[in-house]
Amino acid sequence: SFRKKHISVGAGTHRQLARDIFSRSYTDGKISDDVVIALDQPKGIKTIPVSTIFKYGQKLVDHYSGVATTVKNGSAAINSVYNIVLLKAIR
């Protein structure tokens, strides 16, 4: 369902942010969609670099776990039992 809701996943530009962490961005006219995807992450607390995609203070949600967070110091901290993180901005 994340892929269906985010055109950037299928049609966006890929940018590697770290090992097993990447962003996908898509912009066309009025449509703009940015996501950060982190795979093979540790269970529990994980810190995902997002500064090239999301601004300081921006509120994000992990679509996979439902956990919300705020960008601080260029990163998003997520505490979940999953090893996948699918970040999107809360609008």
Side-chain angles (χ1 to χ4, degrees), residues 2-3 8 11 14 21 31 35 41 44 51 54 72-73 81 84 86:
F2 187 75
R3 182 181 171 107
S8 61
H14 182 92
I21 302 173
I31 299 171
V35 298
Q41 299 299 299
S51 65
F54 301 117
K72 294 179 185 170
N73 300 319
V81 298
I84 295 174
L86 305 174

Side-chain angles (χ1 to χ4, degrees), residues 2-72:
F2 187 75
R3 182 181 171 107
K4 277 185 164 182
K5 293 179 182 179
H6 296 281
I7 192 168
S8 61
V9 175
T13 302
H14 182 92
R15 179 188 286 170
Q16 201 72 31
L17 303 178
R19 185 177 183 274
D20 297 325
I21 302 173
F22 59 93
S23 67
R24 300 286 296 184
S25 297
Y26 178 86
T27 302
D28 184 19
K30 293 183 181 180
I31 299 171
S32 180
D33 185 47
D34 298 301
V35 298
V36 171
I37 299 169
L39 306 173
D40 297 325
Q41 299 299 299
K43 293 180 181 179
I45 299 172
K46 40 204 143 279
T47 303
I48 311 299
V50 297
S51 65
T52 58
I53 304 301
F54 301 117
K55 297 178 183 177
Y56 179 88
Q58 193 165 9
K59 298 194 183 309
L60 308 176
V61 65
D62 171 25
H63 181 82
Y64 207 81
S65 67
V67 174
T69 189
T70 302
V71 178
K72 294 179 185 170

